[in-house]
């Protein structure tokens, strides 16, 4: 369900492995004799948990085939949450939440990772020409995910940069990020 490019909060996956892989890729960038060049894009989804659209979560739950009763229960825990702040010992008026996942909730990282899988899927499906190989017979590496940080790799060209821009913009529209 969650691609191997995502390492955070996934059992038996280590963020350290991706750090080493990223170092190898950047080493390849330094020693590459590719005349057209290589490019990488780092996305840091600021306020990612607070901004993720609930419609994206609903879409993901349906796409992955979660049972309807479970999905509805999960959405009740996330949608239309109300907050109150204690100021000088008194509760403030309620503040309604309009998007996002609560930080500190044990489900939030997993829900966010499931939604960020939309970007991973889109990069694989629509970015067929993206990615680089560290060695001639090695796998093509398009991206690495670290919860709300993403590294995307490719050969440098205006066409690939525009394709990548479109993929990222579409992801932002889908999710509200």
């Amino acid at each position: 369900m969650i691609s191997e490019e995502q390492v955070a909060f996934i059992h038996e996956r280590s963020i350290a492995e991706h750090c080493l892989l990223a170092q190898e890729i950047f080493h390849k960038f330094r020693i590459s004799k590719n005349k057209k060049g290589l490019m990488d894009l780092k996305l840091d989804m600021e306020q990612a948990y607070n901004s993720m659209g609930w419609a994206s979560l609903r879409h993901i739950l349906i796409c992955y085939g979660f049972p309807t009763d479970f999905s509805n229960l999960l959405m009740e825990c996330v949608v239309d949450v109300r907050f109150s702040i204690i100021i000088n010992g008194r509760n403030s008026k309620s503040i309604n939440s309009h998007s996002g996942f609560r930080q500190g909730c044990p489900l939030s990282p997993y829900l966010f990772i499931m939604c960020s899988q939309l970007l991973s899927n889109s990069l694989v499906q629509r970015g067929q020409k993206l990615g680089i190989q560290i060695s001639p017979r090695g796998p093509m590496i398009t991206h690495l995910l670290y919860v709300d940080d993403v590294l995307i790799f490719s050969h440098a060209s205006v066409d690939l940069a525009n394709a990548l821009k479109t993929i990222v913009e579409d992801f932002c529209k889908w999710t509200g990020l």
Side-chain angles (χ1 to χ4, degrees):
M1 176 165 40
I2 303 300
S3 66
E4 64 186 36
E5 289 84 8
Q6 177 63 261
V7 292
F9 302 107
I10 306 297
H11 182 64
E12 295 185 356
R13 295 187 192 174
S14 171
I15 199 166
E17 292 172 17
H18 267 38
C19 291
L20 291 173
L21 182 56
Q23 283 182 324
E24 287 295 321
I25 291 169
F26 290 126
H27 178 71
K28 165 88 174 179
F29 277 36
R30 281 193 296 276
I31 65 168
S32 175
K33 297 192 181 355
N34 184 328
K35 291 181 182 173
K36 293 183 180 179
L38 300 168
M39 68 175 175
D40 74 289
L41 175 67
K42 182 187 183 292
L43 302 176
D44 182 357
M45 296 178 242
E46 190 176 18
Q47 299 293 318
Y49 284 78
N50 298 337
S51 304
M52 181 61 71
W54 294 328
S56 299
L57 176 59
R58 170 74 69 194
H59 175 74
I60 287 290
L61 295 171
I62 291 168
C63 286
Y64 284 135
F66 282 91
T68 303
D69 289 342
F70 175 81
S71 297
N72 291 339
L73 181 62
L74 185 66
M75 292 303 290
E76 281 187 40
C77 293
V78 176
V79 176
D80 296 329
V81 177
R82 301 174 91 191
F83 299 95
S84 179
I85 302 169
I86 299 174
I87 301 173
N88 295 330
R90 294 182 176 213
N91 287 347
S92 69
K93 291 184 178 180
S94 294
I95 303 167
N96 294 324
S97 177
H98 298 286
S99 65
F101 306 135
R102 283 187 322 140
Q103 290 187 4
C105 173
L107 276 179
S108 292
Y110 300 104
L111 298 176
F112 182 81
I113 286 170
M114 286 175 30
C115 289
S116 71
Q117 189 62 36
L118 287 171
L119 177 60
S120 187
N121 292 347
S122 188
L123 286 166
V124 170
Q125 293 166 1
R126 298 169 53 201
Q128 291 92 359
K129 294 184 180 181
L130 295 173
I132 63 167
Q133 289 178 292
I134 296 175
S135 64
R137 290 184 289 199
M140 188 67 73
I141 301 169
T142 56
H143 62 289
L144 302 174
L145 296 162
Y146 309 86
V147 188
D148 62 347
D149 292 317
V150 183
L151 288 173
I152 304 170
F153 308 102
S154 181
H155 293 276
S157 79
V158 172
D159 290 340
L160 290 174
N162 285 331
L164 184 54
K165 179 182 177 197
T166 300
I167 291 169
V168 171
E169 286 175 344
D170 287 349
F171 172 72
C172 292
K173 284 182 220 169
W174 297 332
T175 60
L177 291 174

